[in-house]
Amino acid sequence: MRVRLAPSPTGTLHIGTARTAVFNWLYAHRLGGQFLLRIEDTDKERSKPEYTTNILEGLQWLGLQWDGEPVIQSARISEHRAAIEQLLASGHAYRCYANEAELTAMREQQAASKQAPRYDNRHRDLTAEQQQAFIAEGRQATIRFRIDDEATITWSDLVRGEMRWAGADLGGDMVIARRAAADQIGDPLYNLVVVVDDAAMAISHVIRGEDHIANTAKQLLLYQALGAEPPVFAHTPLILNQEGKKLSKRDGVTSVSDFRQMGYTAEALANYMTLLGWSPPEGMGERFSLAEAAAAFSFERVNRAGARFDWDKLNWLNGQVLHELGAEALRQQLLPLWAAAGWPADSSGISADPAWQLQLCELLGPSLTLLADGVDQARPFFATPALNEAASAQLELEGARPALAALLEQLPPGALEPDQAQALLGEAATAAGVKKGVIMKSLRAALLGSLQGPDLLATWLLLHRCGDDRPRIARCL
């Protein structure tokens, strides 16, 4: 059992391609098969090495390791041309000399008559004399594959059941090679090369989006003409936006690398993509690993309807993943993000101490939704924040500054224990004649520049270890 992912390196790894990769990986691991990778780089103008690198890195980051070395499609051009020569020799393909002006006129006439656009097969049965006349004019030729309008193409789809497609609905004879001199074969095109490569790679199951259904009908005809055994097909639902339309770049973030940069974890994104079109068995829940999903995966539970992208569900899953991480694992994830922000600035300071960073992660971890939140929420621990409007207003309340002054006066120079810190807050409130809530809010304003933030006592103890609590309190006096 062999499945494959066949991305084109004409852009970064798209969320739709990644979801296709997830389903292929899950099915292969469910049945003990192989998950192969083929880079379809035959679009010479748009294919770029950096996109190939992005695709490979994205798959590895998601945990979707493939078997063997990736197949590079452009390296197999001789095999593609050999297949076209076979089709020409068997009469399944022919050279078409229609130029672009003629094809444009044909399409315009069809549009005016309100007919569906299709090639009218005008050069299907040219005589040798007619061909020579076109060659004498200097015309180049595409190569077209004959499609019988009377044919009915059927297959049993793992998602959609029995499928039937009429040959008359496939748009006429299909171009399988671009224009070239009449004695040559131009660049082979998608439907032909996919069939040749899948057959050569012994692909047993092709799992891809439903937007390929019409291609499947054409490709089955090619398998038959080439005498190759076709694979089993599974056409998965498209990923839709909130308006029910196919997710596209107009919807904003669609690249896996963008999700990674935003602070989503690989575990959460892979988990969520599994849920985009697949329903887990009862009792399994929605939070699981790829390995757990593979053990339960089947196409009987893949939906036919499109899957709407739900940011709230993805955020919830990402939060669950982060909350499940131990403090050290979270620290390892956050360290490169902190370093990119320039923290800790002093590598010899307490904030560079792994034990101090571990306590910070224990404090922040339960409130994180994205890894990026671990940067925003850590910011006031590495750099003194300005006071926002609410914090400044708090310090103007009667007794707020006297309470902070009393606290600062009583603050010991050495270590500070939780019980001791609680006692100091009570003593400062008493000395200033205010309720304990006033001193606590005022201290939070002084330390974090805001009235919002994590547990006050833990925050204070961390900043006291750095020696940052004194100057932050003093600036408010």
Side-chain angles (χ1 to χ4, degrees), residues 297-344:
F297 186 81
S298 71
F299 280 104
E300 286 79 8
R301 305 191 68 84
V302 172
N303 306 318
R304 297 184 184 184
R308 297 204 181 202
F309 197 92
D310 185 344
W311 285 98
D312 291 337
K313 175 70 68 66
L314 175 58
N315 288 338
W316 176 79
L317 282 170
N318 205 68
Q320 294 298 304
V321 171
L322 293 180
H323 301 163
E324 292 166 7
L325 289 178
E328 177 57 25
L330 179 60
R331 187 179 80 91
Q332 291 300 328
Q333 296 250 27
L334 290 175
L335 278 175
L337 303 182
W338 288 348
W343 309 326

Side-chain angles (χ1 to χ4, degrees), residues 62-329:
L62 289 167
L64 303 173
Q65 186 57 49
W66 54 90
D67 296 298
E69 291 296 318
V71 172
I72 306 302
Q73 192 170 69
S74 60
R76 293 182 38 78
I77 191 78
S78 59
E79 286 84 353
H80 304 150
R81 288 201 167 108
I84 293 173
E85 289 174 351
Q86 177 184 336
L87 293 172
L88 286 169
S90 64
H92 288 95
Y94 63 92
R95 285 184 164 83
C96 169
Y97 298 87
N99 58 35
E100 197 56 45
E102 291 169 343
L103 294 175
T104 299
M106 179 191 70
R107 287 189 286 264
E108 289 174 349
Q109 184 179 2
Q110 290 169 345
S113 304
K114 296 184 179 180
Q115 297 175 322
R118 59 175 285 125
Y119 175 62
D120 59 9
N121 303 341
R122 61 181 61 184
H123 288 180
R124 176 187 276 190
D125 297 310
L126 293 177
T127 64
E129 291 77 10
Q130 289 172 320
Q131 291 189 55
Q132 287 302 319
F134 284 131
I135 294 171
E137 289 180 25
R139 292 201 186 197
Q140 294 184 320
T142 59
I143 296 177
R144 290 184 180 268
F145 176 77
R146 295 174 185 267
I147 295 179
D148 182 2
D149 283 353
E150 302 301 317
T152 300
I153 303 100
T154 63
W155 73 92
S156 182
D157 195 280
L158 290 180
V159 176
R160 299 169 188 283
E162 294 304 312
M163 299 288 292
R164 297 176 64 86
W165 202 282
D169 294 333
L170 294 178
D173 292 344
M174 167 177 53
V175 178
I176 57 174
R178 290 191 175 93
R179 282 191 180 86
D183 60 343
Q184 297 178 14
I185 294 175
D187 292 336
L189 294 177
Y190 171 76
N191 280 308
L192 182 284
V193 299
V194 164
V195 168
V196 173
D197 289 347
D198 282 345
M201 294 171 68
I203 298 301
S204 62
H205 295 72
V206 170
I207 303 163
R208 57 189 180 188
E210 66 177 42
D211 48 340
H212 281 284
I213 289 177
N215 287 331
T216 296
K218 296 174 182 177
Q219 289 166 17
L220 283 169
L221 293 174
L222 284 165
Y223 276 106
Q224 184 179 10
L226 290 169
E229 183 70 23
V232 176
F233 288 93
H235 291 93
T236 58
L238 298 179
I239 301 176
L240 309 176
N241 61 18
Q242 290 302 307
E243 287 72 43
K245 298 178 181 179
K246 184 178 178 180
L247 194 70
S248 69
K249 290 182 179 180
R250 290 187 296 274
D251 297 301
V253 178
T254 58
S255 168
V256 167
S257 51
D258 288 340
F259 283 97
R260 185 177 184 180
Q261 191 172 7
M262 289 171 66
Y264 290 98
T265 63
E267 294 85 349
L269 191 57
N271 186 164
Y272 181 62
M273 286 190 293
T274 303
L275 294 171
L276 280 173
W278 179 72
S279 301
E282 187 175 348
M284 183 174 177
E286 294 185 314
R287 170 73 188 100
F288 43 74
S289 67
L290 280 173
E292 290 167 337
F297 186 81
S298 71
F299 280 104
E300 286 79 8
R301 305 191 68 84
V302 172
N303 306 318
R304 297 184 184 184
R308 297 204 181 202
F309 197 92
D310 185 344
W311 285 98
D312 291 337
K313 175 70 68 66
L314 175 58
N315 288 338
W316 176 79
L317 282 170
N318 205 68
Q320 294 298 304
V321 171
L322 293 180
H323 301 163
E324 292 166 7
L325 289 178
E328 177 57 25

Side-chain angles (χ1 to χ4, degrees), residues 391-418:
S392 298
Q394 172 65 30
L395 296 176
E396 296 300 326
L397 296 180
E398 184 177 352
R401 284 193 172 89
L404 286 178
L407 182 65
L408 189 60
E409 185 177 345
Q410 299 168 19
L411 197 58
L416 188 62
E417 298 299 325

